[in-house]
Amino acid sequence: MTLRTSIVATSAALLLALGAGAAAASAPTGDPAARSAAADRRPVRFDLPEPTGRHPVGSTELHLVDSRRPDPWVGGGSRELMVGVWYPARSAGGRPPEPYMRPGAARFLDRSGSYGLAAPGEVDWASPRTHATSLAPADRRTRRPVVLYSPGMGMPRTLGTSTAVELASRGYVVVAVDHTHESSPVEFPGGRVVPGTRPEPGTGTDGARKAVDTRVRDIRFVLDQLAELRAGRNPDAARRPLPDGLGRVLDLDRVGMFGHSAGGITAAETMRVDHRVDAGVNLDGTLQYSPTDFLPVAREGLDRPFMLMGKETQTHLDKPSWQSFWDLSTGWKRDFSLVRAGHFSYTDAQTFVPAVDAALDVPAGLREQYVGTVDPERSTSAQRAYLTAFFDRHLRDRPRPLLDGPSPSHPDIRFVP
């Protein structure tokens, strides 16, 4: 897979799925019985897996505006981002749990066909709640390592929520970034919803380069704003109230990053140009613009810890860009693959696709396209274990033998030497 196809990787997979969704949406209109059954059916709801760490989790979001950078995708304004933050909290304190998705974004996703899984009105995206408490006071007993998250191309930061909450429950501050005009949907304060419109299919290598460059600049700007927060200032564009003690717990001398698909590319490229990021993980993202044109990080490698995790068919033994990166990287490195996984197994699709399938009978081929045939609970458990072990080892200097070879505890994970 080239980066050009990865740039629309989510969309490329979803365009096929959206066709199935459109067919599902139109099916009831000509059949009164089917139309009545669809009208009577309650929208599908799903529950996110509970975190396993010992810390209660708080959450907030930041609206960040880079006044020094024009938005590269649309004219007439500065670059603005929405960022979600999850962190160890002192206690829930009776505050409400954070919704999985904001109301405007939930409506947009429903009306656009729920990632091609259902007709409008069949999935309730607004009701699920996370296992995090909105604006809970931060646990200020110690500074916490910071881990950044970048989603796949076309995907919102929402799809990394379960992993973010898990890492926060294990003692990390997790900062997830929406790449505006590419992530979709992105909801800003006041209910303004911005769909993803860039990069357009067919933009080729130039579009791919622009997308990666924009993402890396986004992450570097977010790191700058976290430094402002650490210094006691409020970087939110409207200076909205922040959780008590949040800035004080940030340890910006210990920073990691992970991402799915193009987000994994973003993690690697950010590490190449910005040494503030100490360790990174690429979840199933290619590292090439074309079969003969690798990204700079694949041509140079990295000198700091990095972990590759992909599908069964994406390892450094069978993907040239991963092989080049592997051979040229001088830092600590590991390669693991998730057997029988799909590309979106490394997202919350591992939770909501089976739930939608159980209620609406998603075609087997479509389900497999998203999340493969791996057992969802085992997959979730394994991903949590390996990501936590990686950041524990490289941001906290804690020995984690799990990373040193195959593990009988996680039979779906293949250790790639």
Side-chain angles (χ1 to χ4, degrees), residues 145 172 254 389-400:
Y172 293 91
R254 296 183 291 169
F390 175 81
F391 289 122
D392 278 355
R393 184 164 185 167
H394 298 294
L395 299 183
R396 288 172 155 166
D397 197 26
R398 296 177 178 176
R400 290 294 183 259

Side-chain angles (χ1 to χ4, degrees), residues 59-300:
S59 63
T60 190
E61 62 179 17
L62 299 170
H63 176 199
L64 303 178
V65 178
D66 188 350
S67 59
R68 296 177 295 180
R69 181 168 53 128
D71 193 289
W73 298 119
V74 296
S78 299
R79 182 66 169 164
E80 58 177 337
L81 305 170
M82 286 303 296
V83 173
V85 184
W86 294 267
Y87 53 91
R90 288 205 300 267
S91 68
R95 297 173 184 266
E98 188 78 8
Y100 182 62
M101 192 169 286
R102 297 298 177 199
R107 286 192 298 271
F108 179 93
L109 183 55
D110 172 56
R111 292 169 182 172
S112 64
S114 296
Y115 299 124
L117 295 168
E122 289 189 326
V123 180
D124 182 358
W125 294 101
S127 66
R129 293 294 183 265
T130 70
H131 297 282
T133 303
S134 181
L135 296 175
D139 183 349
R140 296 183 293 179
R141 289 176 295 178
T142 183
R143 291 189 183 182
R144 307 288 182 178
V146 175
V147 176
L148 298 155
Y149 172 75
S150 177
M153 193 66 65
M155 291 290 98
R157 70 181 195 270
T158 305
L159 265 66
T161 298
S162 293
T163 302
V165 172
E166 171 69 13
L167 287 171
S169 80
R170 300 292 191 98
Y172 293 91
V173 177
V174 183
V175 181
V177 181
D178 272 329
H179 302 283
T180 314
H181 302 297
E182 179 209 298
S183 297
S184 183
V186 181
E187 183 167 349
F188 286 90
R192 175 170 57 104
V193 177
V194 178
T197 58
R198 299 292 188 276
E200 296 175 347
T203 53
T205 299
D206 288 344
R209 293 180 189 278
K210 181 177 178 179
V212 173
D213 177 70
T214 299
R215 283 168 157 260
V216 171
R217 289 173 182 266
D218 288 347
I219 297 299
R220 300 186 76 181
F221 172 67
V222 169
L223 282 169
D224 293 341
Q225 298 309 293
L226 293 177
E228 291 291 302
L229 180 58
R230 179 69 189 91
R233 293 180 281 273
N234 185 346
D236 185 81
R239 303 296 188 266
R240 294 177 299 170
L242 297 177
D244 180 56
L246 179 60
R248 298 182 189 179
V249 305
L250 300 177
D251 186 347
L252 296 178
D253 291 326
R254 296 183 291 169
V255 176
M257 184 173 177
F258 72 108
H260 167 246
S261 193
I265 299 168
T266 306
E269 276 294 312
T270 300
M271 284 185 65
R272 184 182 68 87
V273 298
D274 197 323
H275 276 69
R276 287 179 293 181
V277 183
D278 302 299
V281 182
N282 175 3
L283 301 174
D284 210 42
T286 186
L287 294 173
Q288 60 192 55
Y289 297 115
S290 72
T292 58
D293 188 7
F294 295 173
L295 273 85
V297 73
R299 290 185 272 109
E300 299 175 17

Side-chain angles (χ1 to χ4, degrees), residues 1 3-14 153 261-262 343-344:
M1 180 185 288
L3 181 56
R4 178 168 175 258
T5 52
S6 178
I7 286 295
V8 289
T10 319
S11 301
L14 294 178
M153 193 66 65
S261 193
H343 184 58
F344 295 95

